[in-house]
Amino acid sequence: MYDVLIVGAGPAGSTLARMIGEKYRVLLVDKRFNPANRSIRSKCCGGLLAPDAQHILGTLGLALPRDILVGPQIFKVRAIDLQSGLDKYYQRFYINLDRDKFDHWLISLLPQSVETKFGKHLVRIEPGNPIRVHLHGDNRSETLECRVLVGADGAASAVRRQLFTSAATPRSYLAIQEWFPTTEIMPYFSAIFEPAITDFYSWIIPKENYLIMGAALPPGKSARHRYSRLKQALNNYGFNLEDSIKQESALVLRPTGPGQIITGRNQVLLIGEAAGWISPSSAEGLSYAFTSALFAYQSLNEGLVAPAERYQKIARSLSRNISNKLIKSSLMYCAPSRRAIMASGLFTMRVENTL
Ligand SMILES: Cc1cc2nc3c(=O)[nH]c(=O)nc-3n(C[C@H](O)[C@H](O)[C@H](O)COP(=O)(O)OP(=O)(O)OC[C@H]3O[C@@H](n4cnc5c(N)ncnc54)[C@H](O)[C@@H]3O)c2cc1C
């Protein structure tokens, strides 16, 4: 029997496994990694490490190896309100990453004592003491037992879906991203607001020899049509988004109230996006993945009995952070207040020689 079984080896799950792996018998399960050739199915992500995420990595005692970085490193955001034509720059420091390499690197930090089952997915959970977890992969099913189960399985969390059926869920969006080859050096990340396309936002991120264009769209039949309309509008605006080499998509959550964050119950914890930890204003989720993993570690480090209650208490500061982001979000995504703030020039940055 495992002391702690973690489902999901993204930033949240691999970080928690690294921290508790020497104290307890830990199993880390993930469907995305292929153990045969050590490859990984890409996580659709912008791969920008925002200041909060940089801060928590420092707290965790980590520094990034050079080969994870991709150019350019970014010092400003270009905010574009397509309908009004308002177009402003704001100072913000991002580390630009190769997300696949980043996830691999986090896994490479696991202590030897952590057992892994990659290429396996969680099928079913039988609550109880112990908790029984049914996995499937490689044409084989198996059942394992654990004292504590951690759902670190991202936006579409099966742990959350199966064990917290009556919980309020964050609003979900379909994020679509395309990769366009470019020779242009774009020294900023663009955040695009177009309420006729989505009530969330869209982005263009330079990534070495590519521009990634993405949008978080209301899910449903119209999503791909909305995406095409946006691409057309951005081409008309002056971006060069032609002949993409790859399109990818993923679910992304957007909490609309703090009650939608579910940290767990009794012997089950949820961390990272599975819990709903993600910024409702920017969809930045990496800092929350690391911080919630740290808080879950602090709870588990005290013992394995009822860790969810301790984790919930420790994570109150993170809930307050989400509440603050909800206020920011209500200002950013209300067209009149956004335009008033942009037009005022408050916090904007003068750019002399835009490439
Ligand atoms: C398009 C897009 C762009 C984004 N850009 C940024 C950005 O630039 N910066 C930022 O900070 N955040 C960004 N985010 C958010 C960020 O990617 C997530 O919040 C972050 O990855 C959450 O980490 P996590 O470990 O909780 O979950 P994930 O990274 O989603 O990892 C979950 C893991 O669980 C595994 N899993 C899922 N279900 C099962 C199962 N049933 N059985 C076994 N394994 C399972 C998956 O394979 C995966 O490896 C973006 C999100 C999207 C969709």
Side-chain angles (χ1 to χ4, degrees), residues 177-326:
Q177 273 196 164
E178 260 182 304
W179 291 64
F180 299 91
T182 186
T183 49
E184 184 185 349
I185 298 166
M186 184 181 278
Y188 48 79
F189 143 55
S190 303
I192 297 126
F193 302 91
E194 171 47 285
I197 303 285
T198 175
D199 64 350
F200 209 0
Y201 83 113
S202 312
W203 54 89
I204 296 176
I205 301 171
K207 201 65 77 180
E208 213 69 63
N209 300 320
Y210 297 94
L211 292 180
I212 310 178
M213 176 203 151
L217 302 155
K221 281 189 189 145
S222 69
R224 295 208 176 260
H225 179 60
R226 285 167 186 262
Y227 181 83
S228 302
R229 276 171 49 212
L230 176 71
K231 187 161 53 170
Q232 185 61 56
L234 290 172
N235 273 317
N236 294 345
Y237 197 78
F239 290 98
N240 192 2
L241 305 165
E242 305 282 350
D243 304 324
S244 73
I245 55 136
K246 151 165 108 167
Q247 192 181 90
E248 53 195 358
S249 62
L251 197 68
V252 67
L253 300 183
R254 185 186 191 191
T256 53
Q260 296 163 357
I261 313 289
I262 306 297
T263 48
R265 195 185 320 118
N266 302 331
Q267 298 301 103
V268 180
L269 311 186
L270 295 176
I271 61 173
E273 211 175 325
W277 293 124
I278 183 161
S279 165
S281 55
S282 64
E284 186 268 317
L286 291 170
S287 70
Y288 294 91
F290 291 120
T291 309
S292 59
L294 172 64
F295 290 163
Y297 155 74
Q298 288 168 348
S299 158
L300 291 168
N301 201 31
E302 282 189 33
L304 296 181
V305 178
E309 281 67 26
R310 282 193 299 277
Y311 167 52
Q312 187 184 23
K313 276 194 195 130
I314 301 170
R316 275 187 195 143
S317 57
L318 208 55
S319 296
R320 280 195 296 278
N321 173 298
I322 294 278
S323 299
N324 291 339
K325 292 276 167 72
L326 284 167

Side-chain angles (χ1 to χ4, degrees), residues 7-13 29-33 43-48 99 120-122 152-154 158 175 177 203 250-252 271-273 278 283-286 289:
V7 184
V29 177
D30 200 294
K31 62 181 183 184
R32 195 159 57 101
F33 297 88
K43 159 82 191 173
C44 170
C45 180
L48 291 181
R99 174 70 201 255
K120 307 264 178 193
H121 66 272
L122 168 82
D153 46 347
Q177 273 196 164
W203 54 89
L251 197 68
V252 67
I271 61 173
E273 211 175 325
I278 183 161
E284 186 268 317
L286 291 170

